[in-house]
Amino acid sequence: MGGRKNLWMLEHIEELCNGNGIQLSIKTPAECAELFGVEGFIGRGLADCTNRQVWLTETPSKGDIYAIALHEIGHICDPQRSYELQQVLYQYYRMGLWVREVFDCEHRAWMWARKNALVWTPKMEATALFSVRTYLP
């Protein structure tokens, strides 16, 4: 299915963002890397929990980027998150150290995404599983 047929995905993401006071922006990977100070950013989405912002590298009109958008929103909406702790832990993760709490934050954000998706396809599940595996030792 093409982008116009899946306009509902973008509309759903915008509804979730508006309903939760989250600003959504589409940025290039280079812009995301600069915003988060991450060299060689290869992801397709980022969440800034403190400022309630989500950045995506493309418009959510395909299942995989829709899932990533939901996941990033999940980081902000997760009631168990502690953003300050999460930032400290991610610094350890970026240094190559495995930290269980980082994995738990990622897992909870994917659980939120699954729960709040209007549909959840096998491709979306594959995206989630691939992402979670990158946080395992």
Side-chain angles (χ1 to χ4, degrees):
M1 288 201 266
R4 293 220 38 94
K5 291 180 183 175
N6 292 335
L7 188 58
W8 62 268
M9 291 180 182
L10 174 59
E11 290 170 351
H12 183 231
I13 296 303
E14 289 174 339
E15 280 177 28
L16 288 170
C17 287
N18 291 338
N20 289 289
I22 298 169
Q23 180 183 344
L24 174 66
S25 300
I26 308 298
K27 303 282 186 189
T28 66
E31 289 171 320
C32 287
E34 188 175 321
L35 285 166
F36 257 63
V38 181
E39 274 189 49
F41 176 76
I42 58 169
R44 295 192 294 168
L46 291 168
D48 177 346
C49 298
T50 299
N51 297 308
R52 301 188 73 75
Q53 294 179 312
V54 167
W55 298 294
L56 301 173
T57 59
E58 56 188 289
T59 302
S61 61
K62 297 183 291 186
D64 54 344
I65 194 71
Y66 174 65
I68 291 166
L70 289 166
H71 167 79
E72 299 304 339
I73 295 167
H75 277 300
I76 296 171
C77 294
D78 177 8
Q80 295 181 39
R81 75 166 170 81
S82 165
Y83 183 70
E84 293 76 20
L85 173 63
Q86 191 173 342
Q87 289 308 104
V88 170
L89 296 173
Y90 274 103
Q91 294 306 317
Y92 286 109
Y93 173 75
R94 287 182 185 145
M95 291 186 295
L97 302 172
W98 187 76
V99 181
R100 173 64 193 222
E101 289 82 357
V102 171
F103 175 80
D104 291 345
C105 289
E106 292 299 316
H107 177 71
R108 283 195 313 273
W110 280 114
M111 295 302 293
W112 191 96
R114 287 179 185 97
K115 179 181 175 189
N116 289 277
L118 297 178
V119 298
W120 194 259
T121 67
K123 184 174 183 179
M124 293 165 71
E125 185 62 20
T127 298
L129 292 175
F130 176 82
S131 175
V132 168
R133 285 186 193 119
T134 66
Y135 289 92
L136 292 172

